[in-house]
Each structure stands twice: as structure tokens, then as C-alpha cells.
Amino acid sequence: MINNLSELAFFGGEPKFKEKLFVGRPNIGDRQKLLERINDMLDRRWLSNNGAFVQDFERRVADYLGVKHCIAVCNGTIALELVIRALELKGEVIVPSFTFIATVHALQWQEITPVFCDIDPETHTLNPWRVESLITPRTSGIIGVHVWGQPCDVETLTQIADKCGLKLMFDASHAFGCSHRGMMLGNFGSAEVFSFHATKFINSFEGGAIVTNNDELNQKLRLMKNFGFAGYDNVIYLGTNGKMSEVSAAMGLTSLESIEEFIDVNRRNYKCYQEGLAGIPGVSLFSIDEAEKHNYQYIVLEIDEAQTQVSRDLLVKILHAENVIARRYFYPGCHRMEPYQSYFPHAGLLLAETEKLTERVLTLPTGTAISEEDISKICQIIRFAVVSQFNSQEMHLLKTSYQ
Ligand code: T4K
């Protein structure tokens, strides 16, 4: 329990945590099993290029999602780039600004113009009605992002794409293990992309996957991720090196085998946060539809400064001082980062909800590295910071201190 302002680390108290608590601390899974796999891989001397672990990982991911094909790759960014190229997107592609920068870079890297679309403030995903208003003769596709594992409005986006002859793909980097109307994400659009980066729900150190129910696209992507080779000495596409290594697949398989445990821990953490934050004015926890499958991988808060008195940014400072390394995903929005800010300096005018959200949102640590006790302490810090009403001198100190 915190009773006095001087107990906050920001005002000179002992930090509530000795070690830093990070958002995105990796889940490890069965370490022994991983080491056995790595030994097996070394004994077999097969380290990359569509090895046995990669093939097994692809099969198991596809089975888990109920999707026809899974193509494992070296990271989520390359996965996005490969799908964009394989679908022959060009000209303009509609994409949210409220996403990790990789979604947008994957377009610009191929000299395709990202057209930033606003989001629905409830779901944090593309607002389909706004999508429609941005379509021009140069538009070739739409990329939806299931941010926090929250499904996009896939039905409306599919209708719009079909009606206007556009390609539709999804960045499902956050959404492994999540469903929409009973169907696993991974089954929508022409293809969906996952990230298995260390910070993700399922990780392969670095890694990613493309999943699709389209046989032709699957064939094409398999060749494109391996330089375009269609057999020894025969290149038939412009390809790249997108291959997943065997050691990554070994971690991916081990991670996948612990998926139920990870979900249980994340769900427990989510419930603890729900309880610990209940009733704090102006602090709301992003809600998860419990009727669907979910990975509970992100603990997302929205801070309404009009009610909390402390802004999101001051709260982040207070938490960091306590060694709780909360993050402002996805501040300030891709449209305010380079090169997009210079290319489209007025993009924000059409992104009112994105701009509001990037000022309000913060994510907190969860996963297997966090205990219920940790969460209870984090919630106490937030509650105290909001209800204690700083005087003007304290507020000045908070505002002017270096973070
Ligand atoms: N699309 C979306 C919607 C994405 O969110 C991402 C990635 C992608 C596409 C691209 O997928 P990849 O190409 O990455 O596969 C992190 C991750 O690096 C990034 O993968 C992720 N999204 C994004 C949401 O978060 P940063 O810049 O915040 O990373 P960083 O280094 O600050 O690490 C995040 C936290 O994790 C830190 O607080 C420390 C902790 N951490 C990190 C690593 C790597 C650990 O505790 N252990 C670790 O090994 O981007």
C-alpha cells in the first residue's frame, strides 16, 4: 500500500521493483525440450533451408489455425513485404497509422504509397467506412492490422475489397491464437502475417509466418522466400532471403507446445489487472471479448486526462521511476514518423481518432515473467498516482523532469 507521495520513487522513495519489469519479456517454454531440439539439429547438421523443424513448425501452425498453408519466414516484416509483392500491390495501399512502423515500412520499402486511414476508437482497428472514402483509381489494396489481437471488421473490409477489386491482407502480428466469430485469425483476406519476434506471444527468437488458404499464392511465396529458386539453378521470380532458420523453428515449436500455459498465465494477469484497476477514474483497460479465443498478450490502458489529472505521459514517468517500463505503443502514430511526416505533413487532419488514441494509450508488462503480486503493486502505483491529486509544485516537477 502506498500512503504518502514521498513513497513514490519519482519523489525520492525506493522503487517498488528492484529489477525492471518490461512489456514484451519473452515467454520461454520448456527449456529442456528446446535444448534437446538444438542438440538434435547440431547432430543432423541441418541448420537452415527448409529443415525438418521448419517443416514441422509450418504443419503445426497451419493445423492450430485451421488454415491450409503456413510459410515460415525470418521475421514479420519480411513476411509483410513478401505478401505485398506476391499480391502485386502497387500505387496506393490503405493502412492504419495506429500500428507498429513495420506495417507501413513494408509498403514504402517497395515504393508503394501508404494511405493512412483512421481507426475505430472502440476497436483500435481500421474504420471500414473511412477506408471506403480513401479509395482512388491508384488504390490496389488494403492492409488491416488486428492490433492487440483484436480482429478487424473483416466482413465489411472484405465486402469493400471485393466491390472495388482490391486485394485485402492482414497484419496479424499480435493475433496468434485469437479468433473472430469462432474462426481463427489467419483465415481472412488473401493472406495473413504473424510475427514470432521474441516479444510476441509465440516466439522463435526472430521469426514470422504467412498463412493462406490460396494454393497458388502459397506456391509463389515459397519460391519467393528462397530467392525465387524453383529447383537447382533455376530462378523464376524476384525473390529474397526470407527463410526461417532451424534454431528459430526449434524455439517456435517449443513455444507452440506451451501455448495453453501462456494463455492461462496471460488470462490470469488480465483478470488481476481488471481487478486492480477497477474504479480508478479515467483509467480503462482495453476489453477483450471472452466469447472468442484470445492470447491476452497485451495489457492496454487508455488514460483520460480530463478525469485522471495526470496525463498518460506523466503516468509513464511515474511508472518508469518504479522500474515498470510501460510503453506508449504506438505513439506518435506512423504518420508522425519519418519519412511519412515529411511526405504527408497534413496526414493528421484525417486521423482524428488515431491522434487522440496515441495520446491516451499505454501498455503494461504481462506474460510469464510477471506475478500476481507484481500486478497488484503496479495497480497500486497507478491508483495512487491518479487519486492523490498532485499539488502544483509536484506537478511542475513531474512535467519538467527528464524521463
Ligand atoms: N506488425 C506489427 C503490428 C508489429 O507489432 C510488429 C512487431 C511487426 C509487424 C514486425 O514484426 P517483426 O519484424 O518484429 O517480427 C517491439 C518488437 O521489436 C517488435 O517485434 C514488435 N512488433 C513491437 C510491438 O515491439 P520495440 O521497438 O518496442 O522493441 P524493444 O527492443 O523496445 O523491445 C520491447 C520490450 O521487450 C522491451 O521493453 C524489452 C523487452 N525485451 C525485448 C527483447 C527483444 C526483452 O525483455 N527481451 C528480449 O529479448 O519493438
Side-chain angles (χ1 to χ4, degrees):
M1 201 65 168
I2 310 168
N3 297 307
N4 201 304
L5 212 60
S6 61
E7 289 175 40
L8 285 181
F10 189 87
F11 293 105
E14 271 291 297
K16 303 295 163 293
F17 297 94
K18 285 205 168 58
E19 310 247 322
K20 288 188 185 337
L21 298 188
F22 291 109
V23 172
R25 205 86 174 130
N27 292 323
I28 303 299
D30 184 339
R31 185 184 296 242
Q32 201 48 44
K33 190 77 206 201
L34 172 66
L35 296 174
E36 276 168 27
R37 284 195 164 109
I38 294 175
N39 269 325
D40 177 27
M41 173 195 87
L42 295 173
D43 290 343
R44 287 186 289 108
R45 289 177 191 261
W46 196 281
L47 308 186
S48 188
N49 290 32
N50 204 28
F53 287 155
V54 163
Q55 291 181 36
D56 195 13
F57 184 57
E58 288 181 337
R59 255 191 315 272
R60 291 213 223 167
V61 167
D63 286 351
Y64 184 79
L65 300 176
V67 68
K68 236 168 143 183
H69 306 288
C70 168
I71 302 118
V73 292
C74 56
N75 60 56
T77 307
I78 285 281
L80 287 164
E81 286 175 14
L82 281 164
V83 177
I84 288 164
R85 196 171 274 271
L87 290 176
E88 297 175 12
L89 298 187
K90 55 184 183 314
E92 296 174 358
V93 169
I94 297 168
V95 67
S97 173
F98 191 74
T99 181
F100 188 61
I101 196 71
T103 323
V104 181
H105 277 350
L107 289 166
Q108 189 66 49
W109 196 256
Q110 310 192 52
E111 299 190 349
I112 296 166
T113 304
V115 175
F116 293 116
C117 181
D118 214 358
I119 43 155
D120 175 333
E122 289 294 308
T123 65
H124 299 186
T125 64
L126 274 183
N127 176 340
W129 312 113
R130 301 300 293 272
V131 167
E132 215 164 2
S133 71
L134 295 171
I135 295 171
T136 73
R138 278 172 50 78
T139 311
S140 63
I142 304 166
I143 304 182
V145 182
H146 306 305
V147 73
W148 324 130
Q150 166 71 37
C152 294
D153 181 349
V154 289
E155 287 77 17
T156 314
L157 290 174
T158 305
Q159 274 169 20
I160 294 170
D162 289 350
K163 188 174 77 181
C164 302
L166 304 177
K167 300 276 173 43
L168 175 64
M169 60 180 279
F170 292 98
D171 179 343
S173 292
H174 296 186
F176 195 83
C178 303
S179 69
H180 173 63
R181 299 192 177 166
M183 184 173 271
M184 297 308 279
L185 294 181
N187 283 280
F188 299 98
S190 298
E192 301 208 44
V193 159
F194 293 102
S195 164
F196 299 127
H197 178 256
T199 56
K200 293 294 185 294
F201 171 57
I202 293 300
N203 91 80
S204 61
F205 303 132
E206 289 275 359
I210 302 160
V211 293
T212 179
N213 287 309
N214 180 322
D215 298 341
E216 210 179 306
L217 195 58
N218 168 54
Q219 284 302 329
K220 194 170 174 184
L221 285 161
R222 283 190 183 286
L223 303 186
M224 285 175 82
K225 77 155 181 184
N226 185 26
F227 310 102
F229 274 109
Y232 287 136
D233 314 322
N234 182 26
V235 172
I236 62 166
Y237 287 123
L238 174 61
T240 186
N241 183 354
K243 290 172 275 124
M244 178 181 270
S245 73
E246 281 292 272
V247 74
S248 280
M251 183 62 171
L253 282 166
T254 311
S255 198
L256 202 53
E257 282 163 0
S258 293
I259 194 164
E260 293 307 325
E261 180 205 326
F262 297 160
I263 293 173
D264 285 350
V265 171
N266 279 354
R267 192 194 290 111
R268 177 206 70 188
N269 290 353
Y270 179 78
K271 296 276 172 206
C272 287
Y273 274 115
Q274 215 171 25
E275 255 174 54
L277 298 169
I280 306 181
V283 175
S284 50
L285 177 64
F286 187 75
S287 79
I288 290 177
D289 180 354
E290 307 234 17
E292 297 287 348
K293 289 196 166 178
H294 210 283
N295 59 30
Y296 298 84
Q297 176 70 0
Y298 291 93
I299 299 292
V300 181
L301 302 193
E302 276 183 62
I303 308 299
D304 177 2
E305 193 183 345
Q307 293 186 63
T308 53
Q309 190 210 1
V310 275
S311 67
R312 184 274 313 269
D313 289 355
L314 294 188
L315 203 49
V316 166
K317 275 189 189 180
I318 291 168
L319 287 165
H320 280 207
E322 305 291 351
N323 276 333
V324 179
I325 312 303
R327 296 294 297 267
R328 301 184 296 178
Y329 292 136
F330 292 103
Y331 176 82
C334 295
H335 67 288
R336 289 191 179 273
M337 294 185 175
E338 291 300 347
Y340 312 105
Q341 180 158 270
S342 298
Y343 290 171
F344 318 111
H346 305 299
L349 293 174
L350 288 177
L351 299 170
E353 298 298 346
T354 303
E355 299 233 307
K356 258 190 258 165
L357 190 62
T358 56
E359 293 296 330
R360 289 162 61 97
V361 89
L362 90 84
T363 58
L364 292 171
T366 184
T368 51
I370 301 288
S371 69
E372 291 181 64
E373 203 193 334
D374 295 336
I375 295 172
S376 158
K377 280 205 252 174
I378 295 171
C379 294
Q380 281 177 37
I381 298 165
I382 296 174
R383 186 175 294 276
F384 186 77
V386 171
V387 299
S388 68
Q389 304 280 310
F390 300 111
N391 66 32
S392 56
Q393 199 187 348
E394 292 150 358
M395 198 53 113
H396 179 74
L397 198 62
L398 269 168
K399 283 187 177 158
T400 52
S401 71
Y402 176 72
Q403 190 179 305

